[in-house]
Amino acid sequence: MDDRMSYSHGVEQSNEQHFLEQPKVLVLDCPAIFSFHEKKFEKKFHLLKAWESPLPMEEFLKNHARSVKVILSSFKTRITADILNLLPWVELIACESTGVENIDLVECRKRGITVTNAASAFVEDVADMAIGLLLAVLMKIPAADRDVRFKLWPQNMTFPVGHFKLREKQVGIVGLGNIGLQVAKRLEAFGCSISYTSRKEKHNLSSYKYYPKTQELAINCKILIVCCALTDQTHHIINRNVMEALGKDGIVINVGRGPLIDEKELVKFLVEGKIGGAGLDVFEKEPYVPNELVELDNVVLTPHRAGFTEQAFFDDFQLLVGNIESVFSTTNPLMSPVMELV
């Protein structure tokens, strides 16, 4: 064997040894963050990519059960008691998103499994998207863009006119958490009056008016921005009664989760002109979007991408790596545990 072959063989052995020594991390579905940082994850961890395996999921999990301490979870990954039964050594579920509604938190608590999330990584960008959707709906920007792109401008001098000015309007925020607070801060620059509903009244925010019921909030606002977490209590928090209270000029923006809104009722109200418009980044049965919404000029649609910026994904990558490494280190602390489990 000449020197070059010997060197090449040595490198292969070294790479194989490094691969075997890497901490194993189970990934059930391809997470969005892999679009940006998959190679970086692979340099740090031995990724067990279940979605790429030809084996049935249950068999794949059983094969790796004894070696898996960490699951890297995408926002679409459902982690149930049945899955956890197949993975008795799991200590951490590191979720790439802020929302953890697809993870059985009660079961995790019983088993002593820690759950972490994206914390504030996406907060600023989601708040920006909420305002972007609102302005796009109010000013009918996509409809105007279409008129220019399809050469309709010269012929169509009756192009869509905006709903109303945002300045000094009453805006209701459904869920005044991290994202809701950033949305409110941005709305203050427009001179808007901020009202909100949340699990608890924020006594340190006396300049914002609190309403304990979402329907009451809708009665007193022209715009609702939905950014609360999805739970059993918030499922369809925007329902028929809330939409009726909002009225025919009202606008709904959703950057939370699709099932926060009763989508069938929303479609009906929009088609019948019972509310003024909607900006939706999320939907009840993603990626399905009702055809009626697609055809409406007073609706702006984006594909569940609020917060998807390079900076946000880099921040999220650092959080995920820090949380995962804490399992394999005696010195690295958890960076973003979900507080319900602490």
Side-chain angles (χ1 to χ4, degrees), residues 173-181 184 194 196-198 202 205 208 227:
I173 298 176
V174 181
L176 201 66
N178 290 334
I179 294 171
L181 284 168
I194 311 298
Y196 71 98
T197 186
S198 200
K202 316 285 185 179
L205 297 170
Y208 299 166
C227 39

Side-chain angles (χ1 to χ4, degrees), residues 255-296:
V255 291
R257 289 290 188 265
L260 293 169
I261 297 180
D262 185 335
E263 195 168 83
K264 286 184 178 179
E265 287 294 337
L266 176 65
V267 168
K268 182 179 178 181
F269 269 68
L270 286 164
V271 170
E272 295 178 0
K274 292 181 179 178
I275 63 171
L280 307 171
D281 183 58
V282 287
F283 307 89
E284 275 213 76
K285 298 177 181 178
E286 295 176 2
Y288 167 75
V289 178
N291 288 331
E292 296 93 332
L293 293 178
V294 175
E295 295 167 0
L296 293 171

Side-chain angles (χ1 to χ4, degrees), residues 46-64:
H46 176 179
L47 300 178
L48 303 171
K49 301 176 183 178
W51 78 93
E52 291 184 350
S53 173
L55 296 175
M57 178 66 75
E58 184 172 339
E59 186 177 346
F60 180 85
L61 296 183
K62 285 180 178 178
N63 286 349
H64 295 286

